[in-house]
Amino acid sequence: MNAPVKIETTLKDWETDQEVRWCPGCGDYAILKAVQRTLPQLGADPANTVFVSGIGCSSRFPYYIESYGFHTIHGRAPAFATGIKLANPELDIWLVTGDGDGLSIGGNHLMHVLRRNVNMQIMLFNNEIYGLTKGQASPTSREGTKSPSTPIGSYDHPARPAAFALGAGARFVARGFDVSKKLPEVLTAAHAHQGAAFVEIFQNCIVYNKDVFDDFAAPKGAEDRQLWLENGKPMLFAGDTKGIALDRDALTLKVVDVADGEWEAAGVIVHDVANRSLAHMLVEMPFGEFPMALGVLYDDPRPTFEEAVIAERKKASEGKAADLARLLGSGQTWTVDGTGADPV
């Protein structure tokens, strides 16, 4: 496949004439602007870009990006996106889904696009609630969440999107949140990855699950509870006064204090995006006891699904000439002579 030709655009080039319709204060507005700021930085071409979504608040996204778009059916966006990529591998595919759309009715489709490693960016907006259908508990809702479907509190153990992606075989897994200034950096890293790049984006549902992520994502005062990961850099947070180290006896992670910048002496781990075991431990860190791990958790490319399909097609067609008439005439055939006689 040819490398995409980069062109110059501005944020305005990616805005449509459609009225953006989300609830006032919804985190989706911030995510939309982050994407529209990122696309010009990538040199993306609207004529070569496709946004694909399922059903839910997040799935209105294709209406608001000036590119090609498919607003498909509940949970099936990964299947549509896979078909689009196989039909034209040169297209730049962005898949937009939510915690309900992607992890409930669409969980199987999301699993398969990840394990197949189809080259696309997958943004899962996680607000831990069903917003479009009026606030029922979703697969990611926390235990005790009160909603119309769980009036005395949810007793389900919530799904963890990043852990799901790793378990499904994803080769790129990252996290960000709606109002973070670093979200474009995360999206840029996802776009640079060749394969299925999964990004979980924590998104504030202002109506049905307001401020549920404020412990680490509040506009002010939550920075000390964010661990922004950078490949080759020590895992430091809280103004570099704390870090993440490995408890070698228990083979688990732990929080350590860092004095006078001596992070090596404190045993702080250096992040390695290609270390899958480390990525699993990072996504399983219980928040509260640990900071929220954000940024690129895992990035270890392997050949993509469409590359394998293209190679198979090429091999199957070697030495053969395309002849549709011959194909249609092969095998068992019938001749209808208009006399009413039985076919021969």
Side-chain angles (χ1 to χ4, degrees), residues 55-319:
I55 295 295
C57 296
S58 63
S59 294
R60 301 185 66 83
F61 222 81
Y63 296 104
Y64 309 139
I65 297 286
E66 188 60 49
S67 69
Y68 290 101
F70 291 83
H71 187 183
T72 68
I73 52 181
H74 207 187
R76 276 69 175 185
F80 282 86
T82 299
I84 295 166
K85 190 67 177 180
L86 292 179
N88 186 351
E90 306 297 332
L91 294 175
D92 188 10
I93 310 292
W94 294 76
L95 192 155
V96 185
T97 186
D99 49 301
D101 180 65
L103 293 174
S104 184
I105 190 170
N108 60 329
H109 294 284
L110 184 58
M111 175 186 72
H112 294 310
V113 78
L114 291 171
R115 73 170 179 83
R116 285 172 172 154
N117 199 36
V118 185
N119 190 16
M120 65 180 71
Q121 298 73 241
I122 302 166
M123 299 187 295
L124 185 143
F125 298 6
N126 181 13
N127 55 23
E128 297 188 2
I129 208 76
Y130 277 105
L132 186 66
T133 50
K134 307 301 183 281
Q136 300 91 335
S138 84
T140 59
S141 295
R142 304 175 194 187
E143 294 176 25
T145 297
K146 292 185 178 181
S147 75
S149 59
T150 55
I152 59 174
S154 173
Y155 47 79
D156 277 352
H157 182 65
R160 295 183 178 183
F164 170 88
L166 283 168
R171 310 298 299 188
F172 180 101
V173 178
R175 279 176 173 161
F177 60 92
D178 47 15
V179 296
S180 172
K181 293 180 180 179
K182 295 185 178 181
L183 183 56
E185 295 177 20
V186 176
L187 298 176
T188 299
H191 189 267
H193 177 87
Q194 292 300 300
F198 180 86
V199 182
E200 177 186 6
I201 304 175
F202 298 104
Q203 177 255 320
N204 186 26
C205 177
I206 197 75
V207 175
Y208 297 111
N209 213 16
K210 184 180 179 182
D211 300 336
V212 70
F213 303 118
D214 264 8
D215 283 349
F216 69 89
K220 294 181 180 180
E223 295 85 354
D224 288 351
R225 294 179 290 280
Q226 300 171 15
L227 171 63
W228 281 98
L229 300 162
E230 189 174 348
N231 191 41
K233 298 294 181 66
M235 297 185 186
L236 297 169
F237 65 102
D240 295 347
T241 63
K242 294 182 181 294
I244 302 297
L246 178 66
D247 185 330
R248 297 185 183 278
D249 293 328
L251 290 180
T252 58
L253 300 180
K254 62 181 180 180
V255 175
V256 295
D257 293 320
V258 178
D260 301 321
E262 298 293 331
W263 60 267
E264 288 180 287
V268 174
I269 298 172
V270 172
H271 186 40
D272 177 5
V273 292
N275 188 327
R276 192 175 188 84
S277 297
L278 181 58
H280 276 286
M281 287 193 283
L282 287 168
V283 301
E284 294 293 344
M285 292 193 309
F287 181 71
E289 179 183 350
F290 289 86
M292 178 58 70
L294 300 163
V296 179
L297 290 89
Y298 183 60
D299 184 359
D300 188 17
R302 66 175 173 83
T304 65
F305 182 67
E306 66 273 13
E307 288 173 335
V309 172
I310 291 169
E312 181 185 55
R313 290 173 179 170
K314 183 178 180 181
K315 183 178 180 180
S317 62
E318 285 179 353

